[in-house]
Amino acid sequence: MRELSIEEITKAVAVLCVDANLQLSPEVEQCIDNAKQAEKSPLAKSVLGQLQENMEIAREDKIPICQDTGMAVFFVELGQDLHIIGGDLTEAINEGVRYGYAEGYLRKSVVGDPLERVNTKDNTPAIIHYDIVPGDQLKITVAPKGFGSENMSKLEMLKPADGVDGVKRVVLDAAKNAGPNACPPFVLGVGIGGDFELVAKLAKKALTREPGTHNPLPHIAKLEEELLEEINSLCIGPAGLGGSTTALAVNIETYATHIAGLPVGVNMCCHVYRHKSIIL
């Protein structure tokens, strides 16, 4: 059985937190550039150009792309043949968040109690989703989530008879209601199936996929394309100022569900579409 130390995990998490907030993936940057080239509205094209300029400044000056450096959300795949030594895995991840957000001068946005609202001053605790997988490796994905877009997310428990039209209605309503508040062009993570809590996790996990990738199920990939086209036809546009680039991608994840239900969750993400992974 392979061993991995807590110290190594903490260091990796700290680097992930900083890197995710300073630079988007090449796929996201290319997607924004493609949208700018295709955009017909001069104002929308100008806004997309400003987003690119902002990303370049963040990269060169090593400062956050957005002032809201998010709540740290993790998806952790733990190999069943891996032995973590030296301490607690959850605490190691939280310690990495503390260190990364301090050393990277990232905004601390977490309050310890949702009603008393006292800031924890280190951006912990993180939200951590664990999956046990075959093998002896540890894959950690961080997706810092700002709440301008998070607050515009949506979950509905549909009836099976609502079918694909019902799913489309939920997703389109989420996009319409988000409007400029979710800092478009946005990416929509959509979960379909499971139950009340799993569908939200599916929607969140969908936001760790790069734009331009599709669900391996052909009928779901087709639905992703149809929804993207319909959302962009809303003409909300970059920053809500009009244009054909309202969304960069619609990513859908599905899971089995009960015969009596059709859960649908939509997790909105702004154009600062942040996620970084490492395998230890």
Side-chain angles (χ1 to χ4, degrees), residues 251-272:
N251 294 346
I252 301 176
E253 295 293 323
T254 65
Y255 196 80
T257 192
H258 191 278
I259 56 172
L262 179 57
V264 181
V266 183
N267 196 204
M268 304 296 299
C269 185
C270 66
H271 65 272
V272 185

Side-chain angles (χ1 to χ4, degrees), residues 86 181 190 258:
N181 295 318
V190 179
H258 191 278

Side-chain angles (χ1 to χ4, degrees), residues 170-172 174-175 186-190 203 206-207 227-228 231 246-252 266-269 273:
V170 173
V171 177
L172 288 170
F186 33 66
V187 178
L188 295 89
V190 179
L207 292 177
L227 282 167
L228 180 60
I231 290 168
T246 297
L248 299 174
V250 177
N251 294 346
I252 301 176
V266 183
N267 196 204
M268 304 296 299
C269 185
Y273 184 37

Side-chain angles (χ1 to χ4, degrees), residues 65-119:
I65 303 165
C66 176
Q67 51 84 23
D68 185 350
T69 51
M71 193 166 189
V73 179
F74 290 87
F75 288 91
V76 179
E77 296 180 12
L78 175 61
Q80 62 188 12
D81 298 320
L82 179 66
H83 182 207
I84 306 295
I85 59 173
D88 177 79
L89 177 55
T90 296
E91 179 52 33
I93 293 173
N94 277 311
E95 184 61 25
V97 172
R98 291 186 193 100
Y99 187 80
Y101 271 73
E103 292 299 305
Y105 299 98
L106 307 178
R107 196 182 82 183
K108 290 79 174 174
S109 303
V110 174
V111 294
D113 184 282
L115 297 181
E116 293 183 346
R117 314 299 295 182
V118 178
N119 198 299

